[in-house]
Amino acid sequence: MEKTLKELAEYLGGRVAGDETARVRGLASLDDAGEGEITFLANPKYAAKVATTRATAVILPPGADSHGRNVIEVKNPYLAFAKLLTLFHVRPLQAKGVMAGAHIGDDVVIGNEVTVYPGAYVGNGVRLGNRVTLYPGVVLYEGASVGDDVTLHANVTVRERCRVGSRVIVHSGTVIGSDGFGYAPDGKGWYKIPQIGIVVIEDDVEIGANVAIDRAALEVTLIRRGTKIDNLVQIAHNCVIGENCMIVSQVGISGSTKLGEHVTLAGQVGVAGHLEIGENTMVGAKSGVPGNLPANGMFSGIPAIPHREWLRSSAVISQLPEMRKTLNALQKRIAEVEEKLAAE
Amino acid sequence: MEKTLKELAEYLGGRVAGDETARVRGLASLDDAGEGEITFLANPKYAAKVATTRATAVILPPGADSHGRNVIEVKNPYLAFAKLLTLFHVRPLQAKGVMAGAHIGDDVVIGNEVTVYPGAYVGNGVRLGNRVTLYPGVVLYEGASVGDDVTLHANVTVRERCRVGSRVIVHSGTVIGSDGFGYAPDGKGWYKIPQIGIVVIEDDVEIGANVAIDRAALEVTLIRRGTKIDNLVQIAHNCVIGENCMIVSQVGISGSTKLGEHVTLAGQVGVAGHLEIGENTMVGAKSGVPGNLPANGMFSGIPAIPHREWLRSSAVISQLPEMRKTLNALQKRIAEVEEKLAAE
Amino acid sequence: MEKTLKELAEYLGGRVAGDETARVRGLASLDDAGEGEITFLANPKYAAKVATTRATAVILPPGADSHGRNVIEVKNPYLAFAKLLTLFHVRPLQAKGVMAGAHIGDDVVIGNEVTVYPGAYVGNGVRLGNRVTLYPGVVLYEGASVGDDVTLHANVTVRERCRVGSRVIVHSGTVIGSDGFGYAPDGKGWYKIPQIGIVVIEDDVEIGANVAIDRAALEVTLIRRGTKIDNLVQIAHNCVIGENCMIVSQVGISGSTKLGEHVTLAGQVGVAGHLEIGENTMVGAKSGVPGNLPANGMFSGIPAIPHREWLRSSAVISQLPEMRKTLNALQKRIAEVEEKLAAE
């Protein structure tokens, strides 16, 4: 594919400065780009490289020095780069239909332009939207549903009656709708509480590899639209994850916890059950959240405290042995002083 | 399904107060229940709602005020609720046999009323008990065995010669019997120590999604009866997990560690290798256990210390910067005092 | 199989003391070994058991007391034990070819003596070396390649164009080449940055169960030769893991981080993105690494500090409440002293 700068500027909603008929057929970094490629400046630190890059054109933010290069000016060059990656590198879907070796159950509704690979299993009563791709080893239990433009990668499992929205991507090995972890002690051991609820994944969600999202005990475990979930994350039964959250790898969220919109949980965070985290709040990597957190905050530590406090406290931790010694020495000195005064 | 209160009371081992011919066909919470439904009071905090619920009947503990409602009195209403959920919502198994598209190896022994879905693989010499369900993508390697009334969900792997007991449920993506992580340095790199042992899962165990339980180096990794394991848990080679333990999500247990019965490890706990945790002991979320823990205790922290101590210590952590300052100020003040006294 | 001590000594590069025609047909521990078995002494603590073991022969390090037993002397008895385990217990591969029920795409190149089980899926353009084993549920996307003597266990996924070297073992449920976690905010939500790079796994790597290794955004996520990765590990896009590293279970490594050779990350360690850890460095279990770490060090804690400091600091943590009290008491005492001096 080859595009003129004029075409690309239109695609990006930006404007060209320089030769708008110049042609581009790929992207690369400021350092690596050559003739016929476009690059971008996202970090002002590298502004000087705009002068020396061999790229045919540079995507710049408003006001940046063009050094006489062909430029597409956009508000957010990093986003523009992502969009051009999509334009140049993401191949349009070529539907292959239901391939031999796929299993389709009874009473299944299948949209247009789907691809169901050999070894995918579609249970009875499943509904698939348009342009759905099910890779080998995908298993949809009875009554599951999937919206339009969805990709379920190899070996994804979606359990009975769970609902996946449109434009959702689920990576390999992920399990949607496994039973929540619920038992009642019965005097001899643990009596299983049937988990008869479901999972609902709204539109535009992406879920990484080997994630586990448990079905609700009675109602719904809900992942709201636009949320992105990284690999190996655990989301327990009855959680509600707000819109556009970022749940980084190996996070664990306990049962019935609710996240507001645009919450970020960094890697390996653990969140206790039955609590709420307000919108836009960020929790630092490896933190443990034992109680509610307000909106618009930044928290870290085990237990999580405001991030600035945690930075200050954690810096002191390595001084503890020396503080211990100082404290002991002070006790001795004050005792001596007291003795002296008493003797006077 | 519809049941009279008399029938339900018999099923639960409780007794009816009120109209024992009243009929019930479902369950709901105190708030949501309506005509024809039964509800329950587990938390005394909500006792007043018994007066206002529109449920046909309420499950109450002995001595609770019935507010004139139809009541089934039982010792443990929460357990009774779980049992009624099972009664009303868990459909009896309908065996489908070995379905077309399932692979059955040589010398396989298969019990009665099994269901083996398309895309399940049963290796040579495998033994399956009665009423076993193998969902699509389940892989049983050569010589594995599975008891009665077992459900292996989609994409579960059971490696060669591993043994799964009766009434076991394993959720999707879980791997039983992968090689333990064992290597000997050989001067150039790591020489693999063959892992020739197995995993034994006893009766009434439930294992969550995307769990990994490694086979022993020489002998047996053992999960004793009644233990419940949540999603994304790691159990290393040669571990012995006692009866009726609760292993919450994302816990990791290192090699050769032994847990007594009824141990609870909360989410994201890590346990070092070659150690023992005594029966009934609980370890708080995100803790790290570097050494043996006695029975009947409660521990938290990294490293884990008695839970009460940890609560007190972790509360002080956010005060550390201020303690640091106070300590510095005290040093100065005592120096001044000492100087004064010396000058006298 | 039965071997003379002479044969075993040759295999191990050691020398026999005693009857070199004595025959051995298995291995066991010092305690358990009997007639016809060989045992080994790795830990000097158990040297006395050499006198009492009923084994036919003992593997000893140079200089150890043989107590008159038949001995094979080697520099590293533990490594010798691992090698004999391999000799006696690892069965030679018996290739079964491409079995019925396996799916082979177009333009696939397949080496000699492969085994492709029913339910394995080999996409278009895939290349498989000699003596490759693909268990059921393995999915190789288009253009993936696999070297010689590779075993991919059940339900492993290798995404498009990813490359796996020779003598690699990947355990069940592991995903190689899932999309990296990359998004740009677009004012409404998160715009997906296409992940068009790949994963390269070099020779002699072993990867545990349910691991996730993400493909690079643009270039390569690289696992260098000889590295061993345990279960449930997360390796993010663009990471470079050096040769012969040991990555223990549930570790998470964020994007673009580079590990030197022979780095050890213990269980549940988290490493931030865009940083470097020098060769031979070890990081203790559950630690959090927020910045670069030098070579040849040992670090622990959240944030990670030198291991010895961490040991000292963490020992003080349980004393914090008492330190807090002491500090308060000291403040009072010094105030009293100051008052007295002022009054004089």
Side-chain angles (χ1 to χ4, degrees), chain A residues 3-344:
Chain A
K3 297 276 182 189
T4 63
L5 295 188
K6 181 157 188 270
E7 289 169 323
L8 294 183
E10 272 164 21
Y11 178 72
L12 297 173
R15 65 175 197 84
V16 179
D19 176 7
E20 67 179 21
T21 67
R23 298 177 84 79
V24 159
R25 59 175 185 277
L27 297 88
S29 66
L30 280 161
D31 284 333
D32 295 344
E35 181 61 33
E37 289 183 315
I38 189 166
T39 187
F40 74 110
L41 176 70
N43 188 337
K45 195 163 76 171
Y46 303 124
K49 293 188 177 186
V50 173
T52 56
T53 181
R54 286 168 303 134
T56 289
V58 186
I59 304 170
L60 292 180
D65 185 346
S66 73
H67 294 277
R69 318 306 304 256
N70 293 321
V71 164
I72 298 179
E73 188 188 288
V74 297
K75 259 189 262 173
N76 185 341
Y78 185 56
L79 175 61
F81 176 72
K83 287 182 171 173
L84 292 191
L85 267 176
T86 308
L87 181 70
F88 282 107
H89 289 284
V90 177
R91 290 182 294 179
L93 191 79
Q94 290 197 300
K96 298 176 179 177
V98 176
M99 298 170 75
H103 177 96
I104 308 291
D106 301 331
D107 303 316
V108 170
V109 177
I110 302 189
N112 299 315
E113 294 182 76
V114 305
T115 301
V116 184
Y117 278 90
Y121 175 92
V122 178
N124 297 336
V126 166
R127 298 199 302 179
L128 300 180
N130 300 313
R131 298 171 301 281
V132 165
T133 303
L134 306 182
Y135 280 94
V138 167
V139 179
L140 300 177
Y141 280 54
E142 198 166 336
S145 73
V146 167
D148 296 332
D149 302 290
V150 168
T151 299
L152 305 185
H153 280 286
N155 295 319
V156 162
T157 301
V158 181
R159 289 275 303 272
E160 63 274 20
R161 294 178 287 115
C162 292
R163 302 205 302 260
V164 174
S166 291
R167 297 175 303 282
V168 168
I169 302 170
V170 184
H171 291 278
S172 291
T174 283
V175 180
I176 295 173
S178 37
D179 286 4
F181 195 64
Y183 305 90
D186 67 0
K188 291 168 300 189
W190 299 104
Y191 185 93
K192 179 176 175 66
I193 300 171
Q195 304 289 306
I196 64 175
I198 62 170
V199 175
V200 172
I201 311 285
E202 291 189 351
D203 297 344
D204 300 300
V205 167
E206 183 164 1
I207 304 175
N210 286 335
V211 167
I213 303 179
D214 281 349
R215 65 198 309 111
L218 292 176
E219 297 161 353
V220 173
T221 303
L222 179 58
I223 314 294
R224 287 200 189 280
R225 66 182 305 144
T227 279
K228 311 301 181 186
I229 299 175
D230 201 353
N231 303 329
L232 291 161
V233 165
Q234 150 76 357
I235 297 182
H237 50 181
N238 298 78
C239 283
V240 177
I241 309 299
E243 293 186 11
N244 293 316
C245 289
M246 278 294 214
I247 312 293
V248 180
S249 182
Q250 295 179 322
V251 162
I253 307 179
S254 305
S256 301
T257 279
K258 290 182 174 48
L259 270 57
E261 66 175 337
H262 202 258
V263 167
T264 300
L265 303 182
Q268 298 185 337
V269 162
V271 182
H274 296 274
L275 57 81
E276 298 192 16
I277 299 182
E279 59 185 18
N280 303 315
T281 280
M282 303 178 71
V283 181
K286 284 192 103 68
S287 301
V289 180
N292 293 340
L293 293 181
N296 305 310
M298 199 169 161
F299 299 86
S300 289
I302 310 174
I305 56 178
H307 184 66
R308 275 154 186 266
E309 284 183 37
W310 179 79
L311 281 180
R312 271 183 264 129
S313 294
S314 62
V316 179
I317 284 183
S318 63
Q319 305 169 10
L320 281 177
E322 175 259 318
M323 280 174 68
R324 170 83 270 183
K325 270 191 213 162
T326 305
L327 198 56
N328 291 349
L330 278 182
Q331 280 187 285
K332 228 171 150 181
R333 284 163 69 184
I334 190 107
E336 283 167 9
V337 165
E338 286 166 339
E339 216 171 294
K340 254 193 204 169
L341 282 175
E344 280 181 1

Side-chain angles (χ1 to χ4, degrees), chain B:
Chain B
M1 196 188 325
E2 214 177 57
K3 297 277 183 188
T4 64
L5 295 188
K6 180 157 189 271
E7 288 169 324
L8 294 183
E10 270 164 20
Y11 178 72
L12 297 173
R15 67 178 196 81
V16 179
D19 176 8
E20 68 178 21
T21 67
R23 299 178 83 79
V24 160
R25 59 176 185 277
L27 298 87
S29 66
L30 281 161
D31 284 334
D32 295 344
E35 181 62 33
E37 290 183 317
I38 189 166
T39 186
F40 74 110
L41 176 70
N43 187 337
K45 195 164 75 172
Y46 302 123
K49 293 188 175 186
V50 173
T52 57
T53 181
R54 286 166 305 133
T56 290
V58 186
I59 304 172
L60 292 179
D65 184 347
S66 72
H67 294 278
R69 316 308 301 258
N70 293 322
V71 164
I72 297 179
E73 188 188 289
V74 297
K75 259 189 262 175
N76 185 341
Y78 184 55
L79 175 60
F81 177 72
K83 286 182 173 174
L84 292 192
L85 267 177
T86 308
L87 181 69
F88 282 106
H89 289 284
V90 177
R91 289 181 295 179
L93 191 79
Q94 288 196 301
K96 297 176 179 176
V98 175
M99 298 171 75
H103 177 98
I104 308 291
D106 300 330
D107 304 316
V108 170
V109 177
I110 302 188
N112 300 314
E113 294 182 76
V114 304
T115 300
V116 183
Y117 277 90
Y121 175 91
V122 179
N124 298 336
V126 166
R127 297 198 302 177
L128 301 180
N130 300 312
R131 296 169 303 279
V132 165
T133 302
L134 306 182
Y135 279 95
V138 167
V139 179
L140 300 177
Y141 280 54
E142 198 166 336
S145 73
V146 167
D148 296 333
D149 302 290
V150 167
T151 299
L152 304 185
H153 280 285
N155 295 318
V156 162
T157 301
V158 181
R159 288 275 303 272
E160 62 274 19
R161 294 179 286 115
C162 292
R163 302 205 302 261
V164 174
S166 291
R167 296 174 304 282
V168 169
I169 302 169
V170 184
H171 291 279
S172 291
T174 283
V175 180
I176 295 173
S178 37
D179 286 2
F181 195 63
Y183 305 90
D186 67 0
K188 293 169 300 189
W190 300 104
Y191 186 93
K192 179 176 175 65
I193 300 171
Q195 304 289 305
I196 64 175
I198 61 171
V199 175
V200 172
I201 311 286
E202 291 189 351
D203 298 344
D204 299 301
V205 167
E206 184 164 0
I207 303 175
N210 286 335
V211 167
I213 304 179
D214 280 349
R215 64 196 311 112
L218 293 175
E219 298 161 353
V220 173
T221 304
L222 178 58
I223 314 295
R224 288 199 186 282
R225 66 183 305 144
T227 278
K228 311 300 181 188
I229 298 174
D230 201 353
N231 303 329
L232 291 161
V233 166
Q234 149 77 355
I235 297 182
H237 50 181
N238 298 79
C239 283
V240 177
I241 310 299
E243 294 186 11
N244 293 315
C245 289
M246 278 295 214
I247 312 294
V248 180
S249 181
Q250 296 179 321
V251 163
I253 307 180
S254 306
S256 300
T257 280
K258 289 181 174 48
L259 271 55
E261 65 175 339
H262 202 256
V263 166
T264 300
L265 303 182
Q268 298 185 337
V269 162
V271 182
H274 296 273
L275 56 82
E276 298 192 15
I277 299 182
E279 59 185 18
N280 303 315
T281 279
M282 302 177 73
V283 181
K286 284 192 103 67
S287 301
V289 180
N292 293 339
L293 294 180
N296 305 310
M298 200 169 161
F299 300 87
S300 289
I302 309 174
I305 56 178
H307 184 67
R308 275 154 185 265
E309 284 183 37
W310 178 79
L311 281 180
R312 271 184 265 129
S313 295
S314 63
V316 178
I317 284 183
S318 63
Q319 306 169 9
L320 281 177
E322 175 258 318
M323 280 174 68
R324 170 84 271 182
K325 271 191 212 164
T326 305
L327 198 56
N328 291 350
L330 278 181
Q331 280 187 285
K332 225 168 151 182
R333 284 163 70 185
I334 191 110
E336 283 167 8
V337 164
E338 286 167 339
E339 214 171 295
K340 252 193 202 169
L341 282 174
E344 280 181 2

Side-chain angles (χ1 to χ4, degrees), chain C:
Chain C
M1 196 188 322
E2 215 179 54
K3 297 278 182 188
T4 64
L5 294 189
K6 181 157 188 270
E7 289 169 322
L8 293 183
E10 271 164 21
Y11 178 72
L12 297 173
R15 66 174 196 84
V16 179
D19 177 7
E20 67 178 22
T21 67
R23 299 178 84 79
V24 160
R25 59 175 184 277
L27 298 87
S29 66
L30 280 161
D31 285 334
D32 294 344
E35 182 60 34
E37 290 184 314
I38 190 166
T39 187
F40 74 111
L41 176 70
N43 188 337
K45 194 164 76 171
Y46 304 124
K49 293 189 176 186
V50 173
T52 56
T53 181
R54 286 167 304 134
T56 288
V58 186
I59 304 171
L60 292 179
D65 185 347
S66 74
H67 294 279
R69 317 306 303 256
N70 293 322
V71 164
I72 297 180
E73 189 189 287
V74 297
K75 259 188 261 172
N76 184 342
Y78 184 57
L79 175 61
F81 176 73
K83 287 182 172 174
L84 292 191
L85 267 176
T86 308
L87 181 69
F88 282 107
H89 289 283
V90 177
R91 288 182 295 179
L93 191 81
Q94 290 197 300
K96 297 175 178 176
V98 176
M99 298 171 76
H103 177 97
I104 307 291
D106 300 331
D107 304 316
V108 171
V109 177
I110 303 189
N112 300 316
E113 294 181 78
V114 304
T115 301
V116 183
Y117 277 89
Y121 175 92
V122 179
N124 297 337
V126 166
R127 298 199 302 178
L128 301 180
N130 301 313
R131 297 170 303 281
V132 165
T133 303
L134 306 182
Y135 279 94
V138 167
V139 178
L140 299 177
Y141 279 55
E142 198 166 335
S145 73
V146 168
D148 296 331
D149 302 291
V150 168
T151 299
L152 304 185
H153 280 285
N155 295 319
V156 162
T157 301
V158 181
R159 289 275 303 272
E160 63 273 21
R161 295 179 286 114
C162 292
R163 302 205 303 260
V164 174
S166 291
R167 296 174 304 283
V168 169
I169 302 170
V170 183
H171 291 279
S172 292
T174 283
V175 180
I176 294 174
S178 37
D179 286 3
F181 195 64
Y183 305 90
D186 67 0
K188 292 169 301 188
W190 300 105
Y191 185 92
K192 179 176 176 65
I193 299 170
Q195 304 288 305
I196 64 176
I198 61 170
V199 175
V200 172
I201 311 286
E202 291 189 351
D203 298 344
D204 300 301
V205 167
E206 184 164 359
I207 303 175
N210 285 335
V211 168
I213 303 179
D214 280 349
R215 65 197 309 112
L218 292 175
E219 298 161 353
V220 173
T221 303
L222 178 58
I223 314 295
R224 288 200 188 282
R225 65 185 304 144
T227 278
K228 311 300 181 188
I229 298 175
D230 201 353
N231 303 329
L232 291 162
V233 166
Q234 150 76 355
I235 297 182
H237 50 181
N238 297 77
C239 282
V240 177
I241 309 299
E243 293 187 11
N244 294 315
C245 288
M246 279 294 214
I247 312 294
V248 180
S249 181
Q250 295 178 321
V251 162
I253 307 180
S254 306
S256 300
T257 280
K258 290 181 173 47
L259 271 55
E261 65 175 338
H262 202 256
V263 166
T264 300
L265 303 182
Q268 298 184 337
V269 162
V271 181
H274 296 273
L275 58 81
E276 298 192 15
I277 299 183
E279 58 185 17
N280 303 313
T281 280
M282 303 177 71
V283 181
K286 283 191 105 67
S287 300
V289 180
N292 293 340
L293 293 180
N296 305 310
M298 200 170 161
F299 299 86
S300 289
I302 310 174
I305 55 178
H307 184 67
R308 275 154 186 264
E309 283 182 37
W310 178 80
L311 281 179
R312 270 184 264 129
S313 295
S314 62
V316 179
I317 284 182
S318 63
Q319 305 169 11
L320 282 177
E322 175 258 318
M323 280 174 68
R324 170 83 271 182
K325 271 191 213 163
T326 305
L327 199 56
N328 291 348
L330 278 182
Q331 281 188 284
K332 227 169 150 182
R333 284 163 69 185
I334 192 106
E336 283 166 9
V337 164
E338 286 166 340
E339 214 171 295
K340 253 193 204 171
L341 282 173
E344 280 182 1

